[in-house]
Amino acid sequence: MFTKIFGKQKQETSAISSLEKLNETLEMLEKKESVLTKKASVEVEKAREFTRAKNKKAAIQCLKRKRLLEQQIEQLGNYQLRIHDQMILLEGAKATTETVDALKSGAAAMKKMQKAMSMDDVENTMDEINEQTENMKEIQAALAAPMGAAADFDEDELEAELEELEDAELEEELLKPMAPVASIHVPAGRQSARPAPQKRTAEEEELDALQAEMAL
């Protein structure tokens, strides 16, 4: 295990070191290219001056040196492209390696978890859960059951109590005042000269009913 870890760290260190070296080389080539470009510009200016001075031979020599500088600049550009390609490949390889290592680590962790948990353990756990659930249902049903049984009550006492309730209801109905009889319409020509009795109020009817009850 320590060998794998050490090897992995060594690979990461090597990749990082290589990327740093490529970056340094790329910076050096860019600086050199910038210097050569400035020199080429100087040779062009010299060629113009010699041309104005009618010194054709010197002007041609300046242009030759400019061409040589441009060839070096082009070569440096090719070097930079190669370095860029190498950096892209190295970064891609580094990302691939890190991805594979992450997948291996996840697979190892899953394998370890599966070893610690078998199918028998899962089944036993589910059996325990079901048993506990059934026990809890029985406990809850026992707690919800009513205290005492219905057979403990005396049926005769219940019937006697029911009769008392029926008698009380009947007595209450008898004490209620009777509804007044609807008046009969008599033609105007046959109406009696006897004045119609006044309508009794509810208070007067209740008072008469109470007096009748006290007389009993």
Side-chain angles (χ1 to χ4, degrees):
M1 180 177 180
F2 291 102
T3 305
K4 290 183 179 180
I5 295 175
F6 180 75
K8 180 180 176 182
Q9 292 177 348
K10 187 176 181 180
Q11 289 177 358
E12 291 179 354
T13 304
S14 177
I16 294 173
S17 177
S18 298
L19 287 171
E20 290 177 351
K21 181 65 176 178
L22 289 172
N23 274 320
E24 292 175 0
T25 304
L26 184 62
E27 290 178 0
M28 180 271 295
L29 292 174
E30 290 175 348
K31 289 179 181 179
K32 193 170 183 179
E33 181 184 5
S34 178
V35 172
L36 294 177
T37 302
K38 289 179 181 179
K39 287 183 178 182
S41 299
V42 171
E43 294 297 332
V44 172
E45 291 298 327
K46 288 180 179 180
R48 288 175 179 174
E49 291 176 2
F50 286 128
T51 300
R52 285 192 294 267
K54 306 298 181 180
N55 191 347
K56 184 177 179 181
K57 185 177 180 180
I60 291 175
Q61 291 296 324
C62 291
L63 293 177
K64 287 182 178 179
R65 288 192 294 270
K66 192 258 299 183
R67 290 287 180 87
L68 292 173
L69 291 169
E70 287 176 348
Q71 290 178 358
Q72 294 182 17
I73 292 171
E74 184 178 359
Q75 189 174 13
L76 291 175
N78 292 330
Y79 291 163
Q80 293 178 46
L81 288 175
R82 289 181 177 273
I83 290 176
H84 278 296
D85 291 340
Q86 188 67 27
M87 291 175 65
I88 291 172
L89 291 174
L90 187 58
E91 290 175 350
K94 183 174 179 293
T96 302
T97 303
E98 291 176 351
T99 302
V100 173
D101 290 339
L103 292 174
K104 287 182 178 179
S105 178
M110 186 177 296
K111 186 176 181 180
K112 185 177 180 181
M113 293 172 64
Q114 289 178 351
K115 285 183 178 180
M117 178 180 56
S118 64
M119 192 61 190
D120 293 335
D121 294 335
V122 176
E123 291 178 354
N124 293 333
T125 302
M126 294 305 299
D127 290 340
E128 291 179 359
I129 293 174
N130 292 332
E131 184 178 356
Q132 293 174 3
T133 303
E134 292 298 328
N135 292 336
M136 182 58 64
K137 289 182 179 179
E138 292 179 359
I139 293 173
Q140 292 176 349
L143 293 175
M147 299 295 293
D152 294 336
F153 296 107
D154 190 347
E155 294 292 336
D156 295 336
E157 291 181 358
L158 293 176
E159 291 181 2
E161 184 176 355
L162 180 60
E163 290 180 0
E164 291 179 0
L165 291 175
E166 292 176 351
D167 293 340
E169 289 290 335
L170 180 59
E171 184 177 357
E172 184 177 354
E173 289 293 333
L174 293 175
L175 292 178
K176 286 183 178 180
M178 296 180 65
V181 180
S183 58
I184 300 174
H185 179 71
V186 180
R190 298 182 179 180
Q191 288 184 356
S192 174
R194 183 179 178 181
Q198 295 182 356
K199 186 178 180 180
R200 296 172 59 83
T201 62
E203 290 81 2
E204 292 176 346
E205 291 178 353
E206 291 180 0
L207 181 59
D208 293 342
L210 181 60
Q211 290 176 354
E213 184 177 358
M214 293 178 64
L216 294 176

